[in-house]
Amino acid sequence: MSMKGLFSGAVRAVAGGRNTTFIPRVCFSNRVFKATSSWGRPGRLTSSSLPRPGHFSCSSLPRPGRLTSSSLPRPGHFICYSLPSRSLVQIHGQDTSAFLQGIITNDMNLLGEGRQRSLYAHMLNVKGRTLYDVIIYSLSESSADLNSIVLECDSSLLGAVVQHLTMYKIRRRVTVNTCADLSLWALLPQETRSASQQLKPEPTSAEKALVLVEDPRTDLMGWRLVARNSENPPDFIAACQQGDPDEYHSHRYKIGLPEGARDLPPGEALPLESNLVFMNGISFSKGCYLGQELTARTHHTGVVRKRLVPVRLSSPVENLQAGAELRSPGDKPVGKYRAGLGRVGLGLVRTAHTDETLRLASSQDRTVTLEVSVPDWWPEDTKSEYCKR
């Protein structure tokens, strides 16, 4: 019913053999339009009994006035995703920073600069290939205290990560423990904004958010939250609603961001081909670390012939084999399919063929085509090189 109809009309009903008058009213209580009913005395409807223009009988309305967009209920600014595919490990002790400095690609000293409390990195083997992708969170607000950190890793590799850390601990004064009582969440803004306009999640209870930091890889990945298993972020994060984890992974694949063992096969993926530089995950000035030699040499030659890029399939394929060969229109092998969800995924493709429509032979005896795209969050000089082809 229109507003005009509400104010100008009256409905007569018959109840118990008597005429009674039903006068619709409009209520703006709780910022929502509601229709309420009033059963008046039997008799004729008079002009004095009609609501007057600009007047509302709702006592909960603080003052009459025009309804504005700010008075309407707003949807959540953030969607939070539980990430059971990621696990947490706590490393504690006075040698924590020095210990990690020798086995990760990034510089632990960055956690002591400014207000940075998270760090993305890879752990490599002696041949310079990626074993584990990790995010390191400082548990201290003080830049001088880096003796306790939480490390995020792939859940399927949790045991291997703990074993790797224990093996290289040697005589370092650190302890390594899994955090079974903690859970990890990703918070993505509902609206894409520039880095300077990014909204910050606002906990209504600060002690429940043990760690709440921006994702160090790219602004498009929002925020990272560490909380206890008993806590549910929508209960203590203002303007937040829970989403399906598949939506989170679909978002990753659309923007071309790898995460975990499926996207970065242990002992197979190379860090520079996996865009570790673009994800702020490596330092070329920190000094020696495990697997550094090959990585540094590749960087200084400036030649990366293949890159992990987002791909879109012409149609979804079930049980698509990881590592399936990608072929050019001329039927030449130009890369491999890594992993994906539905029609989006990641492929390791030779840079000379990223502007071509590639073919993928599926296990269902049909050929699927793939379109490669260049992520917007890559550096401008790298994107321009692809655009020239």
Side-chain angles (χ1 to χ4, degrees), residues 72 120 364:
L72 292 173
Y120 180 64
Q364 299 173 353

Side-chain angles (χ1 to χ4, degrees), residues 217-286:
R217 297 170 292 186
T218 170
D219 294 331
L220 297 178
M221 289 302 295
W223 295 70
R224 239 41 183 186
L225 169 69
V226 177
R228 301 196 181 280
N229 291 339
S230 57
E231 303 293 350
N232 190 32
D235 295 338
F236 64 89
I237 299 290
C240 178
Q241 62 188 50
Q242 190 165 347
D244 186 340
D246 279 351
E247 295 174 1
Y248 166 83
H249 294 295
S250 180
H251 170 72
R252 285 197 307 103
Y253 288 131
K254 286 177 182 177
I255 67 172
L257 191 136
E259 182 179 280
R262 291 184 65 219
D263 304 338
L264 302 166
E268 179 180 336
L270 287 169
L272 299 189
E273 290 183 350
S274 304
N275 307 316
L276 185 60
V277 177
F278 303 162
M279 293 186 287
N280 309 306
I282 190 167
S283 170
F284 294 105
S285 60
K286 60 171 281 186

Side-chain angles (χ1 to χ4, degrees), residues 124-128 284 287-300:
L124 311 180
N125 62 16
V126 293
K127 296 181 180 179
F284 294 105
C288 295
Y289 57 89
L290 186 66
Q292 179 243 2
E293 184 178 352
L294 175 62
T295 306
R297 186 166 66 245
T298 303
H299 170 70
H300 291 299

